[in-house]
């Protein structure tokens, strides 16, 4: 008798599909919330010079104090808070939930639709995940959230701020109420902070159960895989134990330090993206059969009749966006486009106009 995956994995895992990343070869890539701007040649030279100090034969510094100091400065992490580093914020979600494995009735909660990895990682780890539907305008259903908190007493609540894939910022007062009412931790996932006008970073000291998660991916460093969690040292000290000691490699540490010293360039790029988001939103608003939603992030969610067909038509014209229609529910007929360069946005709009006129 041969030993098979069926004998090894739980049935839910066998039924899973690996996170799909479609090939974007030769396409205008507007599906993954990346910053579309490459670095100027002089900056690339300076970066490569900086990388000369890397010693690939040695393990990276597990504490990465220089990098943490740069992140603290960049993100305005309050003095009383500590920082936990992750190989992308995905890994931080995994670290947070790993802590709950084996605890009876440890529920994880998030409004939905939201970033899929909260549910996904909870499922891998066999944790109870409670998804509380957003209202049809994509805002938090305050009463439903508070009732679910009381009923399930979650150990962790994730709130993406702004939310992915809807793009909106949830109401601050409702968030405060949820933080106060939750008997566990509330993680404000601020992945899109470079494009939003508000943050919870400076409020960490106000709540003993608030953690704020960030990433450098959307700022313009998606290739590095660097995320971080800011919060009360009492909590982070425990989560540190679940972090693999060398999770942030030498090249990532040096590159992030270098990039954070070039704040002005990233500020220029992100402010350009914020301006182009408004242009894109206005243009989407002019299209019949398209309903677009306000965004505080670097992408826009919109609804179009026959979304599957529109998505395919765009792809045939070399434009890759994200089709959310398969998720169903509130995302029925929804598509998500990342804000690209002005040329990319124009190409997207032209292709979309053609597709909806069909
Ligand atoms: N949080 C949210 C809300 C996201 O949308 C994403 C990426 N799409 C992440 C976290 C993960 O980002 P990363 O792992 O690149 O840091």
């Amino acid at each position: 008798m041969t030993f098979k995956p069926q004998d090894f994995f739980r049935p839910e895992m066998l039924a899973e599909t690996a996170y799909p990343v479609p090939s974007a070869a030769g396409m205008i890539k507007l599906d993954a919330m990346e910053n579309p701007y490459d670095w100027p040649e002089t900056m690339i030279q300076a970066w490569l010079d900086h990388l000369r100090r890397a010693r690939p034969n040695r393990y990276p510094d597990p504490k990465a104090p220089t990098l943490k100091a740069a992140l603290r400065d960049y993100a305005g992490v309050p003095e009383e808070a500590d920082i936990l580093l992750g190989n992308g914020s995905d890994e931080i979600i995994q670290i947070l939930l790993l802590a709950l494995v084996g605890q009876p009735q440890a529920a994880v909660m998030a409004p939905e639709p939201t970033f899929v990895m909260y549910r996904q990682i909870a499922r891998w780890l066999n944790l109870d995940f409670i998804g509380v539907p957003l209202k049809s305008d994509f805002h938090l259903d305050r009463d439903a959230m508070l009732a679910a908190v009381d009923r399930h007493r979650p150990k962790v609540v994730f709130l993406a701020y702004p939310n992915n894939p809807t793009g909106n910022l949830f109401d601050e007062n409702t968030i405060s109420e949820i933080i106060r009412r939750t008997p566990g931790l509330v993680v404000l996932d601020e992945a899109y902070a470079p494009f939003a006008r508000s943050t919870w970073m400076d409020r960490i000291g106000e709540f003993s159960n608030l953690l704020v998660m960030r990433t450098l991916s959307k700022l313009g460093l998606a290739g590095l895989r660097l995320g971080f969690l800011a919060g009360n040292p009492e909590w982070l000290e425990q989560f540190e134990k679940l972090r693999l000691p060398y999770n942030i490699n030498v090249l990532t540490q040096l590159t992030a330090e270098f990039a954070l010293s070039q704040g002005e360039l990233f500020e220029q790029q992100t402010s350009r993206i914020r301006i182009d988001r408004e242009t894109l939103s206005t243009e989407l608003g002019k299209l019949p059969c398209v309903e677009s939603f306000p965004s505080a992030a670097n992408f826009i969610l919109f609804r179009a009749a026959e979304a599957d067909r529109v998505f395919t038509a765009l792809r045939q014209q070399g434009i890759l966006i994200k089709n959310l229609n398969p998720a169903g529910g509130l995302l029925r007929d929804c598509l998500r486009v990342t804000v690209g360069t002005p040329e990319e946005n124009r190409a997207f709009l032209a292709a979309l106009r053609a597709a909806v006129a069909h």
Side-chain angles (χ1 to χ4, degrees):
M1 200 173 74
T2 46
F3 185 52
K4 297 216 175 67
Q6 287 88 319
D7 307 318
F8 186 87
F9 290 95
R10 287 182 279 126
E12 314 89 87
M13 287 309 293
L14 291 167
E16 289 261 333
T17 42
Y19 190 83
V21 181
S23 164
M27 302 190 83
I28 294 183
K29 192 174 184 322
L30 301 175
D31 66 331
M33 285 77 94
E34 291 144 321
N35 173 333
Y37 297 105
D38 293 322
W39 293 0
E41 192 50 40
T42 48
M43 184 162 146
I44 292 178
Q45 275 312 323
W47 167 49
L48 294 176
D49 281 348
H50 188 79
L51 285 184
R52 280 182 173 281
R53 67 193 73 183
R55 295 179 73 195
N57 55 317
R58 298 289 179 191
Y59 282 108
D61 185 333
K63 296 214 164 73
T66 319
L67 173 57
K68 280 190 186 168
L71 289 171
R72 183 177 286 281
D73 201 38
Y74 155 71
V77 177
E79 238 169 71
E80 69 271 18
D82 263 359
I83 292 176
L84 174 87
L85 299 176
N87 194 321
S89 41
D90 283 347
E91 193 188 42
I92 292 178
I93 301 167
Q94 193 177 55
I95 290 173
L96 288 164
L97 297 190
L98 210 47
L100 298 179
V101 172
Q103 295 193 33
Q105 279 143 25
V108 181
M109 184 180 291
E112 283 191 314
T114 191
F115 183 43
V116 292
M117 292 312 283
Y118 312 141
R119 179 185 276 276
Q120 189 87 337
I121 295 174
R123 196 157 53 196
W124 295 342
L125 299 175
N126 217 6
L127 300 169
D128 279 342
F129 182 89
I130 319 294
V132 181
L134 291 172
K135 295 195 292 189
S136 59
D137 62 1
F138 300 134
H139 282 284
L140 288 172
D141 184 336
R142 173 191 172 274
D143 295 347
M145 281 299 287
L146 293 178
V149 162
D150 290 348
R151 169 139 189 250
H152 299 281
R153 305 188 59 74
K155 291 262 180 159
V156 180
V157 176
F158 288 102
L159 296 173
Y161 186 84
N163 189 38
N164 171 18
T166 59
N168 57 321
L169 287 167
F170 298 138
D171 176 66
E172 268 185 52
N173 292 329
T174 308
I175 294 177
S176 298
E177 280 187 276
I178 293 169
I179 300 173
R180 285 206 197 87
R181 190 87 149 246
T182 300
L185 295 170
V186 177
V187 180
L188 263 288
D189 177 354
E190 298 191 336
Y192 300 95
F195 312 98
R197 63 185 149 70
S198 69
T199 174
W200 287 77
M201 190 61 89
D202 48 2
R203 300 186 66 180
I204 287 176
E206 231 178 277
F207 308 91
S208 61
N209 59 339
L210 169 64
L211 299 172
V212 175
M213 189 165 74
R214 292 277 186 99
T215 176
L216 297 189
S217 297
K218 320 298 170 182
L219 177 72
L221 299 163
L224 292 190
R225 311 300 299 126
L226 184 66
F228 60 102
L229 185 72
N232 187 324
E234 209 188 324
W235 282 104
L236 294 209
E237 192 190 330
Q238 300 303 323
F239 287 118
E240 264 300 320
K241 300 175 189 172
L242 293 166
R243 184 181 66 83
L244 295 175
Y246 304 118
N247 64 336
I248 312 300
N249 73 69
V250 173
L251 298 180
T252 295
Q253 291 192 24
L254 284 172
T255 304
E257 283 161 31
F258 169 78
L260 292 171
S261 74
Q262 309 288 314
E264 212 172 293
L265 178 91
F266 289 98
E267 182 42 46
Q268 274 167 18
Q269 294 182 345
T270 49
S271 86
R272 174 81 249 169
I273 292 167
R274 287 191 300 262
I275 292 166
D276 292 336
R277 172 184 71 202
E278 299 317 307
T279 311
L280 189 53
S281 177
T282 308
E283 291 303 314
L284 281 171
K286 292 180 187 164
L287 288 180
C289 322
V290 169
E291 182 191 8
S292 77
F293 301 97
S295 170
N298 62 340
F299 59 83
I300 297 177
L301 185 77
F302 62 99
R303 193 172 277 140
E306 300 182 76
D308 289 345
R309 186 188 59 75
V310 171
F311 172 74
T312 308
L314 287 173
R315 202 172 48 188
Q316 280 161 355
Q317 293 179 75
I319 315 253
L320 186 64
I321 61 169
K322 177 86 177 171
N323 183 8
L324 293 154
N325 184 46
L330 285 179
L331 295 176
R332 194 144 176 253
D333 275 336
C334 283
L335 299 160
R336 186 192 67 199
V337 61
T338 303
V339 181
T341 63
E343 302 75 54
E344 289 174 333
N345 301 338
R346 277 195 290 275
F348 156 73
L349 284 165
L352 180 64
R353 278 185 204 110
V356 295
H358 184 76

